[in-house]
Amino acid sequence: MFIVIVIVTVLTYILPAGQYERIEKDGRSVVDPTSFEFVESTPVGLLEMFSSIHAGMIEGASIILFVFLFGGALGIMQATGALDSFIKFVAVRFGTKEKLLIPLMVLIFASLGTLIGSAEDALVYIAIIVPMTIALGFDALTGFAIVMLGTLATGFISGITNPFNVGVAQSIAELPMYSGMGLRIALLAVFYVVAVLYIYFHAMKVKRNPELGEYGKFRREEHEQLDKNFRMSKRHSAALIILLVNFILLVYGVIKLGWYISEIGGLFLLSGIIMGVIGGLSPSKMANGFISGAGDMVSGALIIGVAQTILVIITSGGLLDTILYYAAGLVEQLPPAINAIGMFIVQLFLNFIVPSGSGQAALTMPIMAPLADLMGVTRQTAVLAFQLGDGISNMIFPTSGVLLAGLAVAGISFTKWVKWVLPYLLIQFAIAIIFLIIAQSIQYGPF
């Protein structure tokens, strides 16, 4: 990201500055496509480049603080042990019902990903699920895929109420928070079915012939046995009910009351505290849980600020509208649906450089949103192109810290994972294109 900052600073000396006029339309700022003109260049100096980092942090402050607040609330929830307890309960309850276990476990992790944006926190479940799947006669790859394909490739990517990709992108694009939920629910359903079938066929193949399995750092002869007597405590059950009520209130507040990131962050913090009280946490433990959860978000939050720094430099150097002008000129002759697919492919490869959903949204949406206006693509479709491009590549790019950390926990090599998951990603790629075409054909909105 710092290299990109240096590059765009140098470009302020090379590329001509330009400017569009902005007009108000339905309460939002949009580009007037007929108003572009070249203006006097304003190159960014060395000291200004470093000063822009502070300015970028200020520009992204509202989103950065939301990420910290949400992460802290999630840390309290995890400190109660309710989520871990629920996963173990499901594993024991359905451990002998193989045809139900895989769909159910994928659904649980997909729900965590799509509702609360679980990503890094899903890593702790790999150590639970992988030994469980081996104990049931499957392999480590089955357990790893249940967690990762469920959380990231099904849940996080669809982002029904995911604050880290859709929430950040929509706020930057000036869209109502979590608007367009219907199409994302359909996207979740399709990705869910594909993930379950893909994992299930592999698991059954290993079940028939264990020699075909990939066991990572585990051995079939020394796997961890399931605790058949495990039961959820009443405290954990009650805490999970609070979490369910939280999501019901969240959906109602966003749709009916127009809640935004302040209200959403406050709701999660309130729910986390209530869960902590029910879970028997002392005030100190709740505080430590909050700090731990917020601490897990530091890298992602800082990336948002650094991404905003790039935008600050591009804007200061007069390059933002120049980039929009030339980009629009390249694609203005193409059908809008093809433009949306082009956005998707750009986001797909950008994720190699910026493997953070919120960071990538902060970097690209300030350009993609007005570019969508110029090309006749709805801003909601531009957000969809972003979340699809970001989500699919998370499962294969070696710059994805979550992926590499998860593979290390399971003891599965990166090359073996890529070979196994590549056909699945090609299917996802095709589904993404279909949904983008649908989105533009129905003028996926509200705008």
Side-chain angles (χ1 to χ4, degrees):
M1 294 290 288
F2 182 74
I3 291 173
V4 175
I5 289 175
V6 174
I7 291 173
V8 295
T9 300
V10 172
L11 288 178
T12 63
Y13 289 87
I14 299 173
L15 297 180
Q19 180 177 300
Y20 278 109
E21 289 184 9
R22 263 67 174 179
I23 58 177
E24 289 293 319
K25 182 178 180 181
D26 300 326
R28 69 185 193 278
S29 175
V30 299
V31 172
D32 179 359
T34 64
S35 64
F36 180 82
E37 60 179 356
F38 290 105
V39 297
E40 184 179 354
S41 294
T42 54
V44 175
L46 179 64
L47 179 59
E48 187 181 356
M49 180 186 78
F50 282 94
S51 300
S52 296
I53 296 176
H54 179 257
M57 295 292 177
I58 294 174
E59 288 292 325
S62 62
I63 300 174
I64 291 171
L65 293 176
F66 170 71
V67 168
F68 278 132
L69 188 64
F70 182 86
L74 189 60
I76 298 174
M77 295 177 186
Q78 290 176 325
T80 66
L83 294 176
D84 288 348
S85 181
F86 179 63
I87 299 253
K88 291 178 181 178
F89 170 77
V90 172
V92 171
R93 178 67 176 80
F94 294 91
T96 58
K97 302 176 182 178
E98 299 159 357
K99 293 183 179 180
L100 289 176
L101 179 66
I102 292 176
L104 182 60
M105 296 300 293
V106 173
L107 179 61
I108 291 171
F109 287 110
S111 298
L112 292 174
T114 199
L115 295 176
I116 64 175
S118 286
E120 289 85 354
D121 48 301
L123 295 174
V124 300
Y125 302 120
I126 293 174
I128 300 172
I129 302 301
V130 169
M132 179 199 75
T133 54
I134 296 176
L136 295 173
F138 305 131
D139 63 348
L141 198 54
T142 300
F144 182 77
I146 286 174
V147 177
M148 298 304 285
L149 295 192
T151 305
L152 297 180
T154 300
F156 194 95
I157 187 176
S158 57
I160 293 176
T161 57
N162 184 343
F164 301 117
N165 61 355
V166 171
V168 173
Q170 287 184 332
S171 65
I172 294 172
E174 299 180 293
L175 287 160
M177 183 68 90
Y178 298 138
S179 56
M181 195 177 294
L183 189 65
R184 295 201 299 279
I185 292 174
L187 183 68
L188 172 67
V190 173
F191 280 156
Y192 169 73
V193 171
V194 172
V196 168
L197 292 176
Y198 197 81
I199 297 170
Y200 183 81
F201 287 138
H202 169 79
M204 292 302 108
K205 181 178 68 175
V206 173
K207 189 82 169 180
R208 291 189 297 268
N209 185 0
E211 298 300 324
L212 298 176
E214 169 58 45
Y215 297 91
K217 67 181 182 181
F218 300 90
R219 295 179 59 185
R220 279 183 291 154
E221 300 81 6
E222 298 178 356
H223 55 67
E224 181 180 326
Q225 296 294 330
L226 296 172
D227 180 5
K228 303 295 184 182
N229 298 318
F230 180 81
R231 295 290 184 273
M232 284 186 63
S233 69
K234 291 181 179 180
R235 283 182 178 272
H236 287 164
S237 299
L240 289 172
I241 292 174
I242 296 299
L243 185 59
L244 176 61
V245 171
N246 172 82
F247 287 117
I248 294 173
L249 292 175
L250 172 63
V251 173
Y252 177 80
V254 167
I255 295 175
K256 295 294 185 180
L257 305 178
W259 284 0
Y260 204 51
I261 55 178
S262 293
E263 293 84 358
I264 294 170
L267 176 64
F268 269 99
L269 180 58
L270 175 61
S271 299
I273 292 173
I274 295 173
M275 288 177 66
V277 171
I278 292 174
L281 298 181
S282 66
S284 293
K285 288 184 177 179
M286 278 192 275
N288 290 334
F290 183 92
I291 293 171
S292 176
D296 291 339
M297 304 297 170
V298 168
S299 60
L302 290 178
I303 285 175
I304 294 173
V306 174
Q308 287 293 319
T309 300
I310 295 170
L311 181 63
V312 167
I313 293 173
I314 289 176
T315 304
S316 298
L319 299 186
L320 178 60
D321 287 359
T322 300
I323 294 172
L324 290 174
Y325 176 72
Y326 286 118
L330 288 174
V331 297
E332 63 182 359
Q333 304 301 321
L334 299 175
I338 302 299
N339 292 338
I341 294 170
M343 285 182 169
F344 159 63
I345 293 174
V346 168
Q347 298 282 12
L348 190 76
F349 287 102
L350 276 175
N351 198 43
F352 184 88
I353 303 172
V354 191
S356 161
S358 51
Q360 189 176 338
L363 173 64
T364 62
M365 289 313 300
I367 295 175
M368 291 298 181
L371 183 60
D373 295 336
L374 292 173
M375 297 190 304
V377 174
T378 67
R379 290 191 176 191
Q380 195 74 271
T381 302
V383 171
L384 180 65
F386 149 71
Q387 68 187 86
L388 289 169
D390 167 65
I392 290 176
S393 51
N394 278 331
M395 285 293 92
I396 197 169
F397 282 167
T399 51
S400 173
V402 177
L403 174 62
L404 294 186
L407 290 171
V409 171
I412 300 172
S413 74
F414 177 75
T415 53
K416 288 182 179 179
W417 167 252
V418 170
K419 181 179 178 181
W420 182 84
V421 82
L422 187 58
Y424 171 80
L425 295 183
L426 294 177
I427 296 171
Q428 272 202 315
F429 188 87
I431 293 171
I433 290 176
I434 292 171
F435 267 84
L436 286 169
I437 293 174
I438 293 173
Q440 193 54 29
S441 67
I442 65 174
Q443 286 295 291
Y444 183 37
F447 51 82

